[in-house]
């Protein structure tokens, strides 16, 4: 093993630590931003592993140099554009008879190994959500911080509800459980999975990758800082990388050293059953930072063993399976669990409306989406009539009143309920519908507001009337 880096003074102690277990360890001074094929060939190595980063805004010159030197190449890149461009090296790698793999890390190697394992035997994948939240005491590497700040507040291209849309980096704020770690805030990250999931699962309608900080006030603080970029006051938060790292270091003692990762996928099994499978990883005792390197280790060991016949340049998806990676977890305080939930086969309105079958055939088809229904047309809108109502409408993104406005609606199944995304001109808003209490009852949620609805269906269609409303669980006056 040759430990390479820009600083021999920092590489030498690591080499000495490794040398205590194996004398075949040396060091070399190599800067990945300037190294060429001759410098790498002089090392006479079998495989080059690039764990330096950050890979955001980097070109492929170092990987190309390794290929030209006749070395296998593996890196831990999680930069979306870098991984997307990597297949450009395929012809060169094929010609040299080497394997060049990018993204042999938590994303996309581990995330897609989990996806392949969870969806084995499925006929369709509808939705994929991936999330990572490290412990607050994890090492704060400057390259990682710069990588995150490079997209915070900037537009990120995301595949949601069956179409490409844009959302702000560190936006799409949500909160979800991480096993016994409890609830943690999460925000949108720009990673290769945002491209690779739609590429690999042709019928998927939703693909999101989020990350979160353990301490809520740190996570929400970064979200607030992102507003400066979104508003155009700053081009990027990267210049703040060092002061933000120093500020976060002050609070390291407040958090723990346990982190987690979740892969959550919905779809249809081979027998038609609607499923949701959730894989959760928990890393205790500060072992979370070990995880990003383990897929790369698996690739190198498979190359040494001669069990990876592929040659060429590719992202690390479908290269190593989950069993191999989880086999490496056993050496650390890393545990995983897997849960599968089964949903109703019939759509929401079919189950909730007692007279669903009396409606016209076209209306029944619209309200039995599998997995979604797209509607386009024109609408007449009665807008709010007073200032208070207009303020509420503006808050939720409701459209202004008008005649024959262009409109589109997406009705999409989500679990046992549905998500409705309405687009009226420049206005777009969404809600979640679920079954209410009793027959012909529905419940619709817009953010903090929830409406109780009564439904009546007949040969002419159906009507909905509001019977109650709540804000954050508090009943509103009639």
């Amino acid at each position: 093993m040759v430990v390479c880096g820009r600083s021999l003074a920092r590489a030498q102690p690591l080499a000495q630590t490794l040398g205590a277990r194996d004398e075949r360890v040396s060091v070399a001074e190599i800067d990945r931003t300037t190294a060429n094929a001759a410098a790498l060939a002089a090392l006479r190595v079998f495989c080059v592993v690039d764990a330096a980063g950050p890979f955001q805004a980097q070109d492929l010159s170092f990987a190309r140099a390794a290929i030209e030197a006749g070395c296998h190449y593996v890196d831990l890149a999680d930069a979306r554009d870098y991984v997307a461009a990597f297949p450009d090296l395929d012809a060169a790698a094929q010609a040299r008879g080497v394997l060049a793999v990018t993204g042999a890390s938590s994303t996309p190697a581990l995330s897609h190994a989990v996806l392949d394992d969870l969806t084995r035997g499925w006929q369709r994948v509808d939705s994929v959500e991936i999330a990572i939240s490290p412990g607050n005491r994890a090492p704060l590497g400057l390259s990682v911080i710069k990588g995150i700040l490079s997209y915070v507040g900037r537009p990120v291209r995301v595949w949601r509800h069956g179409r490409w849309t844009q959302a702000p980096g560190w936006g799409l704020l949500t909160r979800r459980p991480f096993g016994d770690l409890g609830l943690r805030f999460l925000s949108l990250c720009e990673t290769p999975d945002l491209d690779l999931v739609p590429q690999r699962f042709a019928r998927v309608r939703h693909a999101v990758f989020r990350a979160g900080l353990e301490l809520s006030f740190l996570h929400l603080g970064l979200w607030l800082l992102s507003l400066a970029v979104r508003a155009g006051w700053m081009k990027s938060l990267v210049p703040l990388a060092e002061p933000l790292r120093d500020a976060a270091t002050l609070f390291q003692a407040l958090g723990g050293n346990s982190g987690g990762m979740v892969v959550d996928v919905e779809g249809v099994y081979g027998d038609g059953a609607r499923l949701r499978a959730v894989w959760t990883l928990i890393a205790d005792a500060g072992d979370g930072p070990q995880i990003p390197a383990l897929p790369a280790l698996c690739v190198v060991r498979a190359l040494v063993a001669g069990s990876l016949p592929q040659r060429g340049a590719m992202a690390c998806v479908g290269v190593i399976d989950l069993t191999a990676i989880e086999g490496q977890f056993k050496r650390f305080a890393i545990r995983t669990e897997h849960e599968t939930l089964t949903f109703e086969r019939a759509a929401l309105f079919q189950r909730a409306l007692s007279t669903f079958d009396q409606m016209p055939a076209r209306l029944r088809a619209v309200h039995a989406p599998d997995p979604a229904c797209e509607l386009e047309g024109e609408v007449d809108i009665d807008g709010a009539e007073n200032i208070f109502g207009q303020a509420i409408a503006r808050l939720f993104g409701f459209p202004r009143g008008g005649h024959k406005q262009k409109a589109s609606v997406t009705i999409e199944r989500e679990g046992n309920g549905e998500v409705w995304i309405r687009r009226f001109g420049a206005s777009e808003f969404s809600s979640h519908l679920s079954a209410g209490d009793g027959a012909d009852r529905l419940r619709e949620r817009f953010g903090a507001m929830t409406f109780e609805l009564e439904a009546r269906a007949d040969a002419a269609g159906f009507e909905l009337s509001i019977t109650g409303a709540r804000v954050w669980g508090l009943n509103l006056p009639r």
Side-chain angles (χ1 to χ4, degrees):
M1 178 184 292
V2 185
V3 179
C4 299
R6 292 181 291 268
S7 168
L8 285 178
R10 298 183 67 180
Q12 196 68 50
L14 174 59
Q16 291 172 351
T17 301
L18 297 172
R21 289 175 282 172
D22 190 334
E23 61 183 13
R24 296 169 296 172
V25 180
S26 60
V27 297
E29 186 173 346
I30 293 285
D31 187 334
R32 65 186 294 276
T33 62
T34 58
N36 55 28
L40 293 176
L43 297 175
R44 301 176 60 84
V45 293
F46 170 73
C47 179
V48 171
V49 179
D50 184 357
F55 293 90
Q56 284 78 6
Q58 294 293 327
D59 59 27
L60 303 175
S61 58
F62 185 62
R64 185 177 289 108
I67 293 170
E68 291 174 359
C71 308
H72 297 298
Y73 171 87
V74 182
D75 69 38
L76 277 63
D78 61 357
R80 184 180 188 177
D81 291 345
Y82 181 93
V83 173
F86 201 79
D88 292 347
L89 301 176
D90 185 61
Q94 294 275 8
R96 294 292 290 172
V98 298
L99 175 65
V101 171
T102 186
S105 191
S106 305
T107 169
L110 175 56
S111 55
H112 281 258
V114 174
L115 278 174
D116 290 344
D117 187 75
L118 293 180
T119 60
R120 191 169 290 116
W122 289 28
Q123 61 173 271
R124 190 180 77 219
V125 173
D126 294 334
S127 171
V128 173
E129 295 209 10
I130 304 166
I132 291 179
S133 179
N136 191 57
R137 296 182 186 176
L140 297 171
L142 190 59
S143 63
V144 174
I145 294 174
K146 286 182 177 179
I148 295 172
L149 295 181
S150 68
Y151 58 77
V152 168
R154 299 174 67 85
V156 174
R157 192 163 170 262
V158 191
W159 182 255
R160 299 180 72 212
H161 309 301
R163 65 186 69 196
W164 286 108
T165 61
Q166 283 192 340
W170 213 252
L172 299 184
L173 185 67
T174 189
R175 207 177 181 202
R176 72 158 298 146
F178 277 77
D180 54 23
L181 299 182
L183 292 169
R184 292 192 177 181
F185 279 106
L186 298 165
S187 293
L188 175 66
C189 283
E190 186 158 44
T191 73
D193 293 283
L194 299 180
D195 292 323
L196 292 170
V197 171
Q199 288 173 15
R200 300 188 71 218
F201 301 96
R203 300 177 66 183
V204 73
R205 297 189 55 80
H206 189 73
V208 173
F209 191 107
R210 292 183 174 96
L213 305 178
E214 179 188 357
L215 299 183
S216 297
F217 72 89
L218 290 181
H219 187 101
L220 296 175
L222 184 56
W223 178 82
L224 286 172
L225 282 175
S226 76
L227 300 181
V229 180
R230 292 163 66 174
W233 301 336
M234 296 181 65
K235 288 189 63 176
S236 169
L237 295 182
V238 172
L240 301 179
E242 291 193 36
L244 287 177
R245 179 195 60 181
D246 296 341
T249 301
L250 297 176
F251 300 103
Q252 276 194 295
L254 298 182
N257 58 6
S258 295
M261 178 175 179
V262 173
V263 178
D264 190 330
V265 56
E266 286 190 25
V268 179
Y269 192 63
D271 62 359
R274 295 188 56 82
L275 301 177
R276 177 187 178 192
V278 182
W279 178 90
T280 304
L281 174 151
I282 303 296
D284 296 312
D287 281 344
Q290 304 285 354
I291 296 170
L294 296 180
L297 175 61
C298 292
V299 173
V300 173
R301 287 188 166 174
L303 282 169
V304 171
S307 57
L308 268 185
Q310 300 102 311
R311 294 296 180 265
M314 63 196 72
C316 194
V317 294
V319 177
I320 48 175
D321 59 28
L322 182 61
T323 302
I325 303 174
E326 287 189 330
Q328 299 299 323
F329 293 166
K330 297 175 183 177
R331 297 187 288 132
F332 305 102
I334 300 172
R335 50 196 165 91
T336 63
E337 58 186 44
H338 173 201
E339 179 184 19
T340 301
L341 306 174
T342 303
F343 296 125
E344 299 281 356
R345 296 196 181 206
L348 173 63
F349 276 64
Q350 289 175 294
R351 304 192 317 270
L353 274 61
S354 59
T355 52
F356 179 86
D357 291 338
Q358 296 180 16
M359 293 196 302
R362 177 171 293 185
L363 215 56
R364 294 199 306 271
V366 165
H367 292 287
D370 185 30
C373 178
E374 301 280 356
L375 306 173
E376 291 186 359
E378 294 181 339
V379 295
D380 296 335
I381 299 173
D382 292 329
E385 297 178 356
N386 57 61
I387 294 176
F388 181 68
Q390 291 167 1
I392 293 177
R394 192 170 294 111
L395 176 65
F396 286 96
F398 293 164
R400 296 177 180 271
H403 183 59
K404 288 192 174 182
Q405 295 194 34
K406 290 188 179 299
S408 68
V409 180
T410 300
I411 305 173
E412 190 169 270
R413 295 186 68 168
E414 182 179 90
N416 285 326
E418 293 176 355
V419 174
W420 286 37
I421 302 95
R422 304 162 176 87
R423 306 172 188 90
F424 302 111
S427 300
E428 177 177 321
F429 62 98
S430 63
S431 65
H432 183 273
L433 275 80
S434 58
D437 299 326
D440 298 317
R441 294 292 190 273
L442 294 167
R443 186 171 291 124
E444 186 165 19
R445 174 170 50 82
F446 295 87
M449 295 190 70
T450 301
F451 295 94
E452 301 293 335
L453 307 173
E454 181 180 7
R456 292 178 296 277
D458 54 33
F462 72 89
E463 296 180 357
L464 296 176
S465 57
I466 299 174
T467 60
R470 299 188 301 277
V471 176
W472 288 302
L474 301 175
N475 289 323
L476 290 179
R478 183 71 183 175

